[in-house]
């Protein structure tokens, strides 16, 4: 990096891990214990879906539309059927199931459209599935795809949400009549108009929040197996939520839900892309059933580019109103959201309830109005990608706030501070329908400013400018809503499912514990975190707790892992389950100790009689008694386990401040990081090292959006960034050293006091970077650059302004 | 048309029959059961499939199985096992250099070949060395930390070069891969 | 995707160039990867049949051929032609079954459109050329606008542009070579006979 002349960059400070055996049982919660899942992942022992080999297994490959929009006049599979190893080929005509991919969220104005498993007469995005080839070998299946002859009649395509809403745009779904998928609003339009009318200063901004491709390193995959004897259909698949997949797939395939087993083996990342119900995994399952033979479908990277649900895709006009004292008075947002060709699983929720409700940011804004129009277009379905709606909200709010500070000539940090919600005002009700649980926004701001050396920065910046070097600093004071729940609320907002979570805690007679949760981790370290939680609640050794997830066969119904909900909702379900177990154990202990239950106290795994600490019994001994059942109280059944369903009262609202310091070369458009500081408040931390890892990874994806990534389509809807060559997933040298720290404001919503951490970095980072670059280029009059801030775009922005102002520098 | 070949993986000879176009990574995974190397892109962009071929880090999706005859191939399975991991594997765990683990075998193999060349690298050099290995989970910082710590560890307690690179001694066995 | 360029050929007349570029046989021989190029009447083109009946033996082209014979088989306004084009793009080598329509042909300008499809890829294009006589020869100004779909499109312009440039470059190189033979073939009075055609 050009800005750093020192030979050896020091390692940024980070959390130190400890081996679990070195941690006192009483301290396990909150310790940065090494992850227990790592040895298997590190030695090649892990089992990802593609590692599964079943006897007689055939391979499935899927023929996909080469056009973004076309009518299909015929499909000729004859030549392909005769090829070596080809077992069978299926098109829409062969499907004997209802086969319509559902969406799990409704909105009043939603125009729902059909989404068949295999395209019938029309394809609507490049990658739309047309036919399934089954062959003995992986390569043979792919060979046969090339021999299928599809007679297409190409139609005009539209990929941009604003253009798709135009009257003359090609209409994707004739039954819908137009490309408008929904019109939605939140907040008070009238109050907002008034606020703007009275405001001393109004600033506006148009931004594009570009389409992103999730790029989990493991492409989606499924291995399906059918046992005709008892009608059992088993699908091992890269899933973030096996129970949700089971529920939806049982409907799509008309297969009884209890005879369908979805199992997520090790999963190589998801970031949202493995939440949704796509046609492909269901087609693999259908094929296994049809052939009564196991099959494997493994997406190629090309297929993930063409078919994984993409994220973001907004075009937004935002306005902010400020009074003469520098107080924000109002915010007005108008967004066109790209939904892609079909409605994906959570698609309607992402640009609405996960977006509009976050428009208040960390600020007290008396009047807000946000309207969103969803548009069908010829790109793959758009749905949740890490952050899902909240990065888009945070981006427009923090860009507008930054510009507002400029407009009233205020320091961006002080302007924010002045407008923060006061720590005494929590719980805080925003004008956009949510109630923030807890917060103390100045703390992370101060800590971050301190870490980054904000005080001396402007001077340094001025000196550098003298030398022709352009430094910039960018703040992002973000808020997010996560821990997706509670069910009653999401139900009222349109969810066709609840968003509670299940936690099962089961002792064995020998005192070891199985804990199972309805979430489904895919890299987050749940085995470790959940074992910490359960060991702490039960007072047993961490090593005595085994964690299970991700299999519908024998685990309680669950909702899965997304929306940074696992710790807050899943972890809390385990707490609830563990506490129920302790309650039962207490009655057994009381009986054994010949005391009244009310007189029994429980700590660190021991029950003892109040005031008589030597009359005690360990919970693991109680477990044995519970299973021996030789001497239980009359009203207590044998066994020691509990399955709890936990439904919190509210979302949780993590927050924090990220600061980027960059140097921009106006001649080349190159951006170098001098520093990236993140101070996050995610409530209590169960494992601070895992928290740090989540923050790091999130920031990397946020920086990816800010500087490198973006799905691009040509006029015909052809994806021109369809490989890792053309779509820049950040590399090791693209991501700066990050300095992370935290503050702790426990959430009152759940028993653990946790908020959520999975998405924070991705939500926070883009605007920190963009604000920094714009700050660096302030001498050139650059006010905004659209993401990704490629060298070329930065250079052009400088060049255009230089042209406009007759040249600067 | 299939060809009979013998591949030496982690010191064990495997006889198998493959098509001339079979990629090394598919031969390793599908024919011989070494599922440690993962396929992330099948186009030499992601590095998840990295193995050692005669001690060099090679992306196994860019190499044909038939061309790897006569070479010593080492996969992540040959680096160490649970309870007896290579210092790099240990430091990846200690530094939280992995999350989903999909990129990890490739990262470890690339890093170990790199540390052979450069036992005392600077952080920037580690970042450069890992440029061909994509990780979507970690943001790389803890991976760089892991490689840095392992380098230190390996310098402080040098082992025989064989153990250091994890090219474990062979048991000399031969395995015949049953038909398909 | 848009491409254009100008190719200069020295010491030729625009009539000669026109005749050469109007000759399906010459075009077939000059287009790299072109298996056949024949006029078709039917709405539906059966490429398998055409492929089978196509011969390796081509009739003579300039300078050996009789200009009248060429004029006879030359592209006609509104005519449709089928071609099988094998082009290697990146790691794949699709065979495009291509139908070309001569949209307009009026000396010294010709416009054509075409559509080609292969396994998992296809293209649509419009193209044209105009001959401009200069002091020392002829300039061929050409342009093409192509839309590419499917697997090949996914490889991106980074891969496609060099391929397109290579095909076009070789094509005009060969045309130039052939025409050089025309100029050196003075004794037969070819040049006069060609101009006599116009
Ligand atoms: S699978 Fe080999 S580099 Fe990606
Ligand atoms: S740990 Fe998931 S891709 Fe690296």
């Amino acid at each position: 990096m050009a800005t750093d002349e020192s030979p050896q960059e020091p390692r940024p400070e980070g959390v130190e891990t400890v081996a679990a055996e070195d941690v006192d049982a009483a301290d396990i919660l909150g310790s940065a214990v090494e992850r227990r899942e790592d040895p298997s992942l590190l030695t090649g022992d892990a089992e990802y879906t593609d590692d599964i080999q079943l006897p007689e297994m055939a391979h499935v490959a899927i023929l996909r539309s080469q056009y973004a929009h076309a009518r299909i006049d015929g499909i000729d599979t004859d030549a392909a059927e005769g090829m070596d190893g080809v077992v069978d080929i299926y098109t829409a005509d062969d499907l004997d199931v209802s086969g319509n991919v559902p969406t799990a969220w409704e909105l009043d104005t939603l125009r729902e459209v059909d989404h068949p498993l295999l395209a019938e007469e029309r394809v609507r995005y490049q990658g739309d599935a047309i036919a399934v080839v089954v062959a003995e070998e992986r390569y043979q299946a792919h060979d046969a795809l090339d021999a299928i002859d599809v007679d297409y009649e190409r139609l005009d395509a539209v990929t941009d949400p604003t253009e798709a809403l135009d009257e003359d745009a090609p209409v994707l779904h004739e039954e819908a009549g137009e490309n408008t998928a929904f019109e939605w609003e939140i907040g008070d339009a009238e109050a907002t108009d008034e606020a703007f009318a009275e405001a001393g200063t109004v600033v506006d901004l148009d931004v594009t929040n570009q389409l992103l491709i999730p790029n989990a390193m493991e492409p989606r995959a499924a291995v399906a197996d059918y046992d005709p004897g008892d009608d059992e259909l088993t699908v091992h698949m890269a899933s973030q939520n096996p129970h949700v997949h089971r529920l939806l797939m049982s409907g799509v395939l008309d297969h009884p839900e209890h005879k369908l087993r979805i199992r997520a083996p090790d999963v190589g990342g998801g970031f949202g892309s493995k939440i949704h119900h796509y046609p492909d995994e269901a087609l693999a399952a259908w094929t296994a059933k049809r052939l009564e033979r196991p099959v494997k479908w493994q997406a190629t990277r090309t297929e993930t580019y063409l078919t994984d649900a993409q994220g973001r895709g907004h075009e937004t006009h935002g306005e902010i109103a400020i009074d003469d004292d520098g107080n924000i008075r109002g915010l007005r947002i108008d967004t066109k959201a790209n939904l892609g060709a079909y409605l994906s699983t959570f698609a309607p929720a992402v640009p609405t309830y996960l977006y509009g409700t976050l428009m208040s940011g960390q600020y007290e804004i008396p009047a807000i109005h946000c309207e969103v129009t969803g548009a069908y277009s010829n790109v793959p379905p758009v749905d949740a990608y890490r952050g899902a709606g909240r990065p888009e909200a945070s981006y427009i709010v923090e860009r507008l706030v930054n510009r507002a500070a400029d407009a009233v000539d205020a320091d961006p940090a002080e302007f924010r501070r002045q407008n923060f919600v006061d720590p005494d005002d929590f719980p805080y009700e925003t004008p956009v329908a949510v109630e923030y649980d807890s917060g103390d926004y100045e703390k992370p701001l101060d800590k971050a400013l301190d870490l980054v050396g904000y005080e001396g920065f402007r001077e340094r910046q001025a000196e550098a400018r003298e030398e022709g070097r352009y430094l910039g600093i960018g703040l992002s004071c973000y808020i997010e809503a996560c821990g997706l729940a509670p069910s009653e609320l999401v139900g009222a907002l349109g969810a066709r499912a609840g968003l509670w979570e299940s936690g099962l805690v089961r002792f064995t007679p020998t005192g070891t514990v199985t804990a199972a949760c309805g979430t489904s981790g895919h890299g987050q370290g749940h085995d470790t975190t959940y074992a910490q939680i359960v060991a702490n609640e039960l007072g047993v050794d961490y090593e005595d707790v085994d964690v299970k997830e991700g299999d519908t066969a024998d685990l309680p119904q669950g909702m899965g892992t997304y929306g940074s909900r696992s710790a807050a909702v899943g972890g809390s379900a385990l707490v609830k389950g563990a506490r129920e177990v302790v309650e039962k154990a207490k009655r057994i202990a009381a009986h054994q100790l010949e005391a009244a239950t009310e007189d029994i106290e429980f700590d660190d795994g021991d029950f003892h009689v109040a005031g008589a600490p030597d009359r005690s019994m360990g919970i693991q001994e109680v477990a044995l008694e519970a299973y021996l059942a030789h001497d239980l109280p009359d009203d207590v059944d044998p066994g020691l386990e509990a399955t709890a369903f936990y439904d919190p009262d509210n979302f949780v609202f993590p927050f924090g401040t990220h600061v980027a310091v960059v140097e921009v070369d106006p001649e080349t458009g190159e951006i170098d990081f001098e520093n990236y500081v993140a101070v996050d408040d995610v409530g209590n931390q169960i494992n601070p090292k895992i928290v740090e890892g989540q923050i790091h990874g999130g920031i990397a994806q946020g920086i990816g959006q800010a500087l490198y990534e973006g799905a691009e389509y040509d006029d015909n809807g052809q994806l021109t960034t369809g490989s890792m060559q053309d779509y820049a997933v950040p590399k090791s040298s693209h991501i700066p050293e990050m300095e992370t720290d935290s503050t702790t404001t426990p959430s009152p919503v759940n028993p653990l006091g946790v908020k959520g951490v999975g998405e924070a970095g991705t939500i926070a980072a883009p605007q920190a970077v963009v604000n920094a670059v714009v700050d660096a280029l302030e001498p050139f009059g650059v006010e905004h650059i659209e993401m990704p801030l490629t060298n070329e775009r930065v250079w052009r922005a400088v060049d255009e302004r230089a042209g406009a102002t007759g040249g600067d520098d | 048309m299939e060809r009979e070949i013998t591949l030496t993986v982690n010191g064990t000879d495997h006889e198998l029959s493959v098509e001339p176009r079979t990629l090394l990574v598919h031969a390793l995974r599908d024919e011989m059961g070494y599922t440690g190397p993962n396929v992330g892109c099948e186009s030499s962009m992601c590095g998840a499939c990295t193995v050692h071929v005669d001690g060099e880090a090679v992306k196994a999706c860019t190499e044909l199985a038939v061309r790897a005859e006569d070479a010593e191939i080492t996969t992540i399975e040959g680096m160490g096992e649970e309870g007896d991991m290579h210092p790099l594997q240990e430091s990846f765990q200690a530094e939280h250099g992995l999350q989903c683990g999909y990129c990890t075998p490739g990262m470890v193999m690339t890093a170990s070949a790199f540390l052979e060349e450069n036992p005392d690298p600077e952080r920037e050099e580690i970042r450069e060395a890992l440029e061909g290995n994509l990780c979507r989970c970690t943001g790389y910082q803890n991976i760089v930390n892991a490689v840095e710590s392992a380098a230190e560890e390996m310098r402080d307690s040098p082992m025989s070069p064989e153990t250091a690179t994890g090219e474990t001694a062979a048991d000399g066995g031969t395995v015949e891969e049953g038909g398909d | 995707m848009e491409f254009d360029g100008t190719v200069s050929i020295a010491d030729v007349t625009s009539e000669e160039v026109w005749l050469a570029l109007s000759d399906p046989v010459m075009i077939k021989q000059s287009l790299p990867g072109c298996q056949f190029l024949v006029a078709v009447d039917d709405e539906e083109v059966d490429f398998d049949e055409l492929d089978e009946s196509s011969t390796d033996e081509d009739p003579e082209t300039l300078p050996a051929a009789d200009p009248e014979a060429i004029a006879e088989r030359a592209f006609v306004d509104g005519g449709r032609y089928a071609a099988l084009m094998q082009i290697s793009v990146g790691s794949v080598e699709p065979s495009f079954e291509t139908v070309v329509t001569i949209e307009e042909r009026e000396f010294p300008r010709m416009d054509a459109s075409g559509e080609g499809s292969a396994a998992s890829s296809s293209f649509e294009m419009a193209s044209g050329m105009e001959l401009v006589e200069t002091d020392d020869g002829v300039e061929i100004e050409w342009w093409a606008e192509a839309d590419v779909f499917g697997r090949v499109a996914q490889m991106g312009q980074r891969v496609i542009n060099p391929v397109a440039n290579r095909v076009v470059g070789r094509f005009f190189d060969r045309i130039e070579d052939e025409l050089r033979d025309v100029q050196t073939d003075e004794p037969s009075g070819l040049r006069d006979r060609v101009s006599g055609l116009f």
Side-chain angles (χ1 to χ4, degrees), chain A residues 766-790:
Chain A
Q767 57 274 14
V769 176
V770 176
N771 285 342
V773 172
V774 171
D775 182 49
L777 298 177
E778 189 259 342
F780 300 92
V782 171
E783 293 183 336
H784 181 65
I785 309 176
E786 294 283 20
M787 300 187 290
L789 273 55
T790 56

Side-chain angles (χ1 to χ4, degrees), chain A residues 169-478:
Chain A
V171 173
L172 272 79
H173 297 275
E174 270 150 8
E175 77 264 32
E178 54 178 292
N179 293 327
T180 307
F182 62 76
E183 282 158 311
W184 179 90
E185 63 175 331
I186 196 165
D188 187 334
E190 216 170 293
T192 306
D193 287 347
E194 272 166 37
F196 273 82
E198 287 163 12
T201 309
V202 171
V203 180
D204 71 340
L205 185 64
D206 288 299
V207 302
T208 297
N209 209 296
Q210 79 270 33
L211 279 174
L212 300 176
I213 300 177
N215 269 301
M217 289 311 298
E218 179 206 21
R220 287 186 294 119
V223 168
D225 191 10
Y226 179 65
D227 179 350
D230 55 7
D231 198 28
E232 288 277 358
L233 180 58
T234 301
V235 187
H236 310 266
M237 63 184 267
S239 167
Q240 296 180 221
N241 34 224
H243 286 94
V244 174
H245 274 130
R246 178 173 73 164
L247 174 65
L248 298 177
M249 201 185 288
S250 75
V252 169
L253 298 182
D254 302 327
H255 193 88
E257 194 180 355
H258 67 302
K259 294 285 190 187
L260 178 60
R261 173 186 177 197
I262 307 283
R263 172 179 170 262
D266 285 314
V267 175
F271 315 112
S273 66
K274 293 169 183 167
I275 300 172
H276 324 305
H277 184 294
Y278 299 86
D280 316 294
E281 292 85 350
L283 286 168
W286 179 84
T287 303
K289 190 173 168 183
R290 164 97 168 212
L291 292 172
E292 298 189 357
R293 181 176 171 182
V295 300
K296 177 186 282 182
W297 169 73
Q298 171 64 63
T300 61
R301 179 56 57 186
T302 305
E303 283 181 286
T304 73
Y305 274 102
L306 291 177
T307 66
D308 276 10
Q310 303 189 348
R312 323 283 188 257
H314 285 197
E315 282 172 11
T316 295
H317 178 73
E319 293 167 275
I320 188 167
I322 314 110
D323 69 17
D324 296 336
D325 300 323
N327 297 315
I328 306 173
R329 304 303 304 165
L331 191 77
R332 191 153 49 198
I333 303 291
D334 183 1
T335 293
K336 312 277 181 268
N338 200 343
L339 296 182
Y342 303 97
L343 278 182
S344 177
T345 310
F346 284 118
V350 176
T352 54
Y353 290 106
L354 293 178
Y355 172 67
T357 53
L358 271 299
M359 285 303 167
S360 199
Q362 295 189 354
Y363 312 104
E364 203 180 311
I365 305 177
I368 299 177
H369 184 247
C370 169
E371 56 187 315
V372 182
T373 312
Y376 292 115
S377 84
N378 299 105
V379 303
V382 179
D383 201 330
Y385 162 61
R386 200 172 194 170
R390 291 148 292 163
E392 296 92 309
S394 208
Y395 183 69
I396 182 68
V397 169
E398 285 300 282
R399 286 289 295 126
L400 280 171
V401 165
N402 224 52
R403 284 178 56 107
D406 264 0
V408 299
D409 239 341
D411 173 87
E414 291 319 306
F415 180 79
R416 285 173 164 88
R417 189 191 303 279
Q418 177 185 343
N419 283 287
F420 277 163
V421 174
D422 192 278
D424 298 331
D425 290 347
F426 289 91
Y428 174 75
E429 193 153 339
T430 72
V432 274
V434 290
E435 186 184 272
Y436 293 168
D437 57 343
S438 62
D440 195 343
Y441 302 147
E442 285 195 55
K443 282 189 179 155
L445 174 68
D446 286 334
K447 211 171 199 176
L449 293 179
D450 191 42
L451 281 172
V452 83
Y454 191 67
E455 214 163 283
F457 179 79
R458 292 296 170 197
E459 215 169 295
R460 241 166 20 90
Q461 183 182 42
E463 283 167 17
R465 281 182 189 168
E466 299 277 298
E467 299 165 20
R469 290 172 47 227
Y470 295 89
L471 299 183
I473 195 162
L475 267 64
S476 162
C477 297
Y478 74 96

Side-chain angles (χ1 to χ4, degrees), chain A residues 35 41 48 215-218 267-271 522-523, chain B residues 97-104 107 134-140 143:
Chain A
R35 300 199 320 168
L41 298 171
Y48 299 99
N215 269 301
M217 289 311 298
E218 179 206 21
V267 175
F271 315 112
H522 40 282
Chain B
L98 68 155
Q99 292 182 22
C100 78
Y102 203 75
C103 69
T104 312
M107 286 284 178
L134 297 178
C135 174
R136 193 60 156 164
C137 296
T138 64
Y140 301 103
I143 293 178

Side-chain angles (χ1 to χ4, degrees), chain A residues 724, chain B residues 38-50 59-62 132:
Chain A
M724 284 176 164
Chain B
N38 292 317
V39 180
C41 70
E42 68 282 302
S43 61
S44 97
M45 292 299 298
C46 77
C49 62
T50 306
K59 291 175 177 171
C61 71
T62 58

Side-chain angles (χ1 to χ4, degrees), chain C residues 119-132:
Chain C
S120 318
S121 302
S122 59
F123 71 83
E124 293 171 9
M125 67 169 239
S127 64
M129 57 145 211
E130 185 159 358
L131 306 181
V132 182

Side-chain angles (χ1 to χ4, degrees), chain A residues 540-573:
Chain A
V540 301
D541 272 356
Y542 167 81
E543 300 296 348
D544 283 343
V545 181
D546 195 30
V547 173
K548 295 205 184 315
E549 262 191 321
D551 191 341
T552 63
D554 45 25
L555 305 183
Q557 190 73 19
M559 292 308 297
T561 289
Y562 41 83
S564 306
R565 68 192 299 278
S566 295
V569 195
S572 298

Side-chain angles (χ1 to χ4, degrees), chain C residues 4-57:
Chain C
D4 53 41
T6 304
V7 180
S8 325
I9 305 184
D11 301 328
V12 287
T13 64
S14 47
E15 288 85 359
E16 287 159 353
V17 178
W18 181 254
L19 194 62
L21 291 176
S22 301
D23 179 3
V25 181
M26 173 85 92
I27 301 289
K28 180 231 151 182
Q29 289 175 349
S30 304
L31 259 182
C34 183
Q35 315 291 319
F36 59 78
L37 174 65
V38 291
V40 287
D41 311 322
D42 302 344
E43 187 54 35
E44 291 282 308
V45 181
D46 187 339
F47 279 88
D48 293 339
E49 198 187 292
L50 288 176
D51 196 14
E52 264 163 43
S53 60
S54 81
T55 51
D56 288 341
E57 291 279 300

